[in-house]
């Protein structure tokens, strides 16, 4: 079976889009990074390595040092589907990140975004 197109998108091309979306709404790159670190376990150095290596999204998520177990608390619709109902593991992780960046751009607090409430 053919992999979804989202699998093959380069993280190095997607990352600036996340940052631009946040910045346009008055948020920061540091906040986008905080979300990424929380969700995946990457840190500044390992995130930069992934960007420099030009890995695809499938590799980015499969190599995540520690995918946050609280990610299952992320619920709601993104790209026309409910993230909690996505069966494909990698695609669900991609949509989790989409959802978190969307929440950031909508002005939610980091406490809410990182499911600390």
């Amino acid at each position: 079976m053919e992999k979804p197109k989202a699998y093959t998108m380069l993280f190095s091309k997607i990352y600036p889009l996340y940052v631009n979306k946040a910045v346009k709404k008055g948020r920061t790159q540091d906040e986008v990074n905080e979300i990424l670190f929380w969700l995946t376990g990457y840190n500044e150095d390992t995130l930069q390595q992934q960007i420099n290596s030009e890995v695809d999204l499938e590799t980015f998520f499969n190599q995540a040092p520690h995918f946050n177990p609280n990610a299952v608390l992320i619920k709601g619709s993104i790209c026309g589907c409910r993230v909690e109902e996505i069966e494909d593991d990698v695609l669900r992780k991609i949509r989790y990140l989409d959802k978190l960046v969307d929440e950031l751009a909508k002005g939610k607090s980091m406490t809410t975004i990182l499911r600390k409430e």
Side-chain angles (χ1 to χ4, degrees):
M1 185 190 319
E2 193 173 319
K3 292 181 183 181
K5 184 178 179 180
Y7 275 48
T8 61
M9 299 171 92
L10 297 180
F11 180 74
S12 62
K13 303 292 185 204
I14 301 298
Y15 175 72
L17 300 176
Y18 288 138
V19 172
N20 287 341
K21 181 176 185 172
V23 169
K24 283 182 185 176
K25 297 293 185 169
R27 303 308 285 258
T28 67
Q29 180 175 352
D30 287 341
E31 289 174 308
V32 172
N33 288 349
E34 185 177 350
I35 288 169
L36 278 163
F37 301 160
W38 176 86
L39 185 63
T40 63
Y42 286 111
N43 59 36
E44 282 190 43
D45 292 335
T46 55
L47 178 64
Q48 192 59 53
Q49 288 171 3
Q50 292 293 321
I51 292 168
N52 294 344
S53 298
E54 294 197 1
V55 298
D56 58 30
L57 287 174
E58 179 181 24
T59 303
F60 177 80
F61 283 107
N62 284 339
Q63 292 181 350
H66 177 74
F67 198 80
N68 196 312
N70 286 339
V72 296
L73 301 174
I74 302 168
K75 308 233 186 267
S77 254
I78 191 79
C79 299
C81 28
R82 300 204 50 86
V83 292
E84 64 271 22
E85 295 174 358
I86 298 172
E87 291 183 21
D88 183 287
D89 187 51
V90 173
L91 195 54
R92 185 175 53 254
K93 290 175 180 179
I94 293 168
R95 295 301 178 220
Y96 280 157
L97 181 55
D98 291 343
K99 180 73 175 160
L100 295 178
V101 172
D102 193 51
E103 290 176 358
L104 180 67
K106 287 182 178 178
K108 290 191 176 185
S109 73
M110 288 303 286
T111 301
T112 301
I113 294 168
L114 302 182
R115 306 314 196 248
K116 292 180 180 178
E117 293 183 334

